[in-house]
Amino acid sequence: MTESLAYKTKRIIEHYGFNFKKGFGQNFLVDERVLDKIISAGEITENDVVIEVGPGIGTLTAALAKHAFKVISIEIDKTLIPILNRLLEDYDNIELINGDILKTDLNEIISKYPDKNIKMVANLPYYITTPIIMNIIENHIKIDSVTVMIQKEVAYRMKAKPSTKEYGSLSLSVQYSCEPYIAANVPNNCFMPRPNVDSAVIRLKLLDKPAIEVKDEKFLFEFIKAAFSQRRKTLVNCIFSSKIVKLDKEEIGKLLVENGFDEKVRGETLSLEQYGKLADAFLPHKTE
Ligand code: SAM
């Protein structure tokens, strides 16, 4: 009988005397079926260079290496490096980097593989999900897709549509640059140790060009952030109190009406296209 992943993980942890560090979001995947789902959702092929965030003890890393041209894994916890070197020694297509993903220059890695598709695949440390994804979106990092295990609630926020309780600035930022697809819901008993939240595997396919065209992308994101800065407040109040434009409440309301919106409209009801239209209309009044 083959050894289960849960048993194997426990054996490795004990053998190396490894102590889980909560601060690094260390919840290792111990379910083979979920592992297969991540690989198939990522559609990993021999032409792919995969950037993996946080290999842990290399479970996903090894599975990725079997399908990809190369896997580049970035792990912050230096105590895992000797363990990973040992456990992954049979693979010649894995590069291990001891570092912080938030301080890693992804463009430098990507520039070394001009003929390959670059994909990010990871069971992410949940405390840095948003900064990792926003870095890719805001800096237009040339990645084909991002397939990641994240907190379920965050995955559904990324995919949410207007007028739902999950809809917010994250939904809009993600959908501006990506097509999100939820590949699996994953209960907390698929991890060791078990996290307090349920998880989901989401694939974000980066679009060739943004879903809408605007005059100033940075201002669009600022406008969206302002619109969701105070839940249950009208857009007029949110835009006014965020001070992103040099207009008083009356002038903001007037500009909304001129663009075909109700003066009392709320940010959570507006689509990405409508945000694009409003960001362009408010741009000439932007605070310097
Ligand atoms: N990939 C393994 C798995 O699926 O079992 C481990 C996943 S665990 C949820 C997250 C991993 O990310 C841990 O190994 C943790 O040490 C690492 N990590 C946490 N913060 C990191 C950071 N800023 N940069 C790189 N790795 C990080």
Side-chain angles (χ1 to χ4, degrees), residues 254-263 265 274 277-278:
K254 204 163 152 250
L255 200 49
L256 284 178
V257 172
E258 276 169 25
N259 281 279
F261 296 91
D262 191 297
E263 224 179 335
V265 71
Q274 289 173 317
K277 185 177 178 189
L278 284 176

Side-chain angles (χ1 to χ4, degrees), residues 74-89:
I74 300 146
E75 173 58 61
I76 198 168
D77 183 354
K78 65 176 186 311
T79 69
L80 283 168
I81 304 300
I83 304 175
L84 282 162
N85 277 329
R86 186 69 209 277
L87 294 171
L88 300 172
E89 67 188 1

Side-chain angles (χ1 to χ4, degrees), residues 24-29 52-56 74-77 80 99-101 123-125 127-128:
F24 284 155
Q26 291 176 339
N27 302 98
F28 296 169
L29 185 60
E52 188 200 10
V53 182
I74 300 146
E75 173 58 61
I76 198 168
D77 183 354
L80 283 168
D100 181 344
I101 185 67
N123 171 16
L124 283 185
Y127 74 107
I128 47 171

Side-chain angles (χ1 to χ4, degrees), residues 17 36-37 68-69 73 86 93 97 149 158 169 189 196 223-224 233 235 238-239 246 254 263 271 285 287:
D36 292 344
K37 275 194 182 150
F69 172 75
S73 294
R86 186 69 209 277
N93 62 341
I97 299 172
M149 173 95 71
M158 289 180 177
S169 59
N189 60 9
N196 296 329
F223 192 87
I224 290 172
K233 286 259 163 77
L235 188 61
C238 290
I239 298 300
K246 299 169 288 192
K254 204 163 152 250
E263 224 179 335
S271 67
H285 308 284
T287 311

Side-chain angles (χ1 to χ4, degrees), residues 11 25 36 98 120 123 131 142 154 164 176 227 239-241 279:
R11 183 171 54 74
D36 292 344
N98 181 206
M120 180 178 277
N123 171 16
K142 290 263 164 288
V154 179
T164 60
Y176 174 76
I239 298 300
F240 176 70
S241 47

Side-chain angles (χ1 to χ4, degrees), residues 212-275:
I212 58 163
E213 217 175 292
V214 286
K215 291 183 184 138
D216 184 332
E217 185 182 290
K218 199 163 160 266
F219 185 68
L220 170 72
F221 287 135
E222 271 174 39
F223 192 87
I224 290 172
K225 217 171 138 207
F228 286 92
S229 56
Q230 292 164 289
R231 279 265 167 186
R232 288 181 291 276
K233 286 259 163 77
T234 61
L235 188 61
V236 169
N237 277 319
C238 290
I239 298 300
F240 176 70
S241 47
S242 71
K243 300 190 169 56
I244 58 164
V245 287
K246 299 169 288 192
L247 300 174
D248 63 27
K249 280 191 190 180
E250 204 175 306
E251 291 166 326
I252 295 172
K254 204 163 152 250
L255 200 49
L256 284 178
V257 172
E258 276 169 25
N259 281 279
F261 296 91
D262 191 297
E263 224 179 335
K264 293 203 167 57
V265 71
R266 289 171 196 275
E268 58 262 34
T269 65
L270 299 178
S271 67
L272 178 60
E273 289 71 19
Q274 289 173 317
Y275 272 108

Side-chain angles (χ1 to χ4, degrees), residues 29 34 149 152 184-191 197-201:
L29 185 60
V34 179
M149 173 95 71
K152 186 173 171 183
N185 289 318
V186 183
N188 71 350
N189 60 9
C190 295
F191 301 89
V197 292
D198 283 333
S199 306
V201 177

Side-chain angles (χ1 to χ4, degrees), residues 17-244:
F18 175 74
N19 293 313
F20 288 98
K21 293 168 200 72
K22 217 172 167 204
F24 284 155
Q26 291 176 339
N27 302 98
F28 296 169
L29 185 60
V30 293
D31 187 301
E32 288 91 351
R33 288 162 306 178
V34 179
L35 201 57
D36 292 344
K37 275 194 182 150
I38 299 176
I39 302 289
S40 62
E43 297 175 342
I44 308 302
T45 74
E46 283 166 16
N47 199 37
D48 295 333
V49 170
V50 177
I51 299 176
E52 188 200 10
V53 182
I57 55 165
T59 309
L60 180 57
T61 324
L64 288 165
K66 289 184 184 126
H67 294 80
F69 172 75
K70 184 161 184 174
V71 182
I72 300 169
S73 294
I74 300 146
E75 173 58 61
I76 198 168
D77 183 354
K78 65 176 186 311
T79 69
L80 283 168
I81 304 300
I83 304 175
L84 282 162
N85 277 329
R86 186 69 209 277
L87 294 171
L88 300 172
E89 67 188 1
D90 291 341
Y91 295 87
D92 58 7
N93 62 341
I94 297 175
E95 181 182 336
L96 199 57
I97 299 172
N98 181 206
D100 181 344
I101 185 67
L102 298 180
K103 295 184 186 145
T104 303
D105 184 349
L106 292 179
N107 284 327
E108 195 190 316
I109 296 177
I110 293 168
S111 66
K112 291 183 190 150
Y113 303 96
D115 309 329
K116 301 284 175 220
N117 280 331
I118 312 290
K119 293 179 176 169
M120 180 178 277
V121 181
N123 171 16
L124 283 185
Y126 296 166
Y127 74 107
I128 47 171
T129 301
T130 314
I132 293 174
I133 308 276
M134 289 313 291
N135 171 38
I136 294 172
I137 292 176
E138 287 176 358
N139 298 311
H140 298 280
I141 306 283
K142 290 263 164 288
I143 282 189
D144 183 79
S145 63
V146 175
T147 303
V148 281
M149 173 95 71
I150 59 176
Q151 192 178 331
K152 186 173 171 183
E153 189 202 312
V154 179
Y156 281 83
R157 270 168 40 206
M158 289 180 177
K159 217 185 115 62
K161 294 290 171 212
S163 301
T164 60
K165 76 172 185 336
E166 293 87 6
Y167 190 60
S169 59
L170 183 64
S171 327
L172 286 152
S173 304
V174 166
Q175 292 167 35
Y176 174 76
S177 309
C178 314
E179 195 188 318
Y181 161 70
I182 295 187
N185 289 318
V186 183
N188 71 350
N189 60 9
C190 295
F191 301 89
M192 186 186 293
R194 293 181 184 187
N196 296 329
V197 292
D198 283 333
S199 306
V201 177
I202 191 165
R203 185 189 66 215
L204 305 173
K205 173 94 184 112
L206 276 287
L207 300 169
D208 294 335
K209 60 179 181 55
I212 58 163
E213 217 175 292
V214 286
K215 291 183 184 138
D216 184 332
E217 185 182 290
K218 199 163 160 266
F219 185 68
L220 170 72
F221 287 135
E222 271 174 39
F223 192 87
I224 290 172
K225 217 171 138 207
F228 286 92
S229 56
Q230 292 164 289
R231 279 265 167 186
R232 288 181 291 276
K233 286 259 163 77
T234 61
L235 188 61
V236 169
N237 277 319
C238 290
I239 298 300
F240 176 70
S241 47
S242 71
K243 300 190 169 56
I244 58 164

